Amino acid sequence: GELRWLAGALGEVRDSDVLLGYLGMCLDRAKDEHGGFLRRLIRCERRVRRRQLGRLREAVASPRYASLCDGLYRRLCRPIGGRGGLPALGGALDVPVGAKARTVLQRRRQRLDDFGRKLGRLDSDRLHELRIVCKKLRYTAEFFAAAYPPEIVEVVEPMVRMQDLLGDVHDLDVWGERIVEHETSRRSPAD
C-alpha cells in the first residue's frame, strides 16, 4: 500500500513528462493554425506538472516516506525465515524456488489467459488492467529468471512489447481526457 502511494505520486509526474514530450513533438510538426492551441496546452500541462512535482516533493519530505524507507531498510537487512538469512517464499521454506516460481508464473499467466481473444473488444479500463497483468508477469519472470529454466526469458520479451503497446494506448486515453478538459475549461458557456 505504501509503495502504491509513492508510485502514484511518481506516476503523475511521469504522465505529465510523457505528455509534454508528445506535445512538443506535435508542436514541431504542427500546422501554423494548431501551434497556438498546442503552446497553450503545453503551458497548461507545465503548470499541472509543477503542482504534481510539488506534491511529490512533499511526499518525499513526509514522515510517511521516511517510515516507508526505514521499514524497507529494516526488512531488507534482517534475516528472514530463521535459516541463515534465506528468504521465505510465501512462507514455505521447504518449497524449492523453482517450484514456487512455476506456481506464481502459472497464476500470472492464467490471469493473462483470462483476457482470451477479447483484445479488440476491451475498453480502455480493461486494456489498462491487461497492461498491469502483463507487467506483473514480466516482473515475476525477470525476478525468477536466475532460479528457473532458460525458457522463462522467452516470457519477458513479449510482455515488454505488450506492456509498451498497452502503455501507449493508456497514455493516449489519458492525454485525450486532459486535452478535452483543457479546452473545456477555456471555453465560455456560449462556445
Side-chain angles (χ1 to χ4, degrees), residues 2-23:
E2 293 301 277
L3 289 174
R4 268 192 216 99
W5 161 74
L6 181 58
L10 289 164
E12 286 181 347
V13 176
R14 176 257 178 214
D15 289 347
S16 279
D17 286 342
V18 175
L19 176 55
L20 285 166
Y22 176 75
L23 292 173

Side-chain angles (χ1 to χ4, degrees), residues 65-82:
Y65 178 77
S67 176
L68 168 64
C69 291
D70 183 53
L72 284 172
Y73 178 77
R74 278 186 281 114
R75 282 182 183 88
L76 292 172
C77 290
R78 75 171 190 232
I80 301 172

Side-chain angles (χ1 to χ4, degrees), residues 154-166:
E154 295 173 9
V155 171
V156 174
E157 180 67 26
M159 290 305 101
V160 169
R161 284 195 312 271
M162 280 292 287
Q163 188 180 348
D164 288 346
L165 292 169
L166 290 165

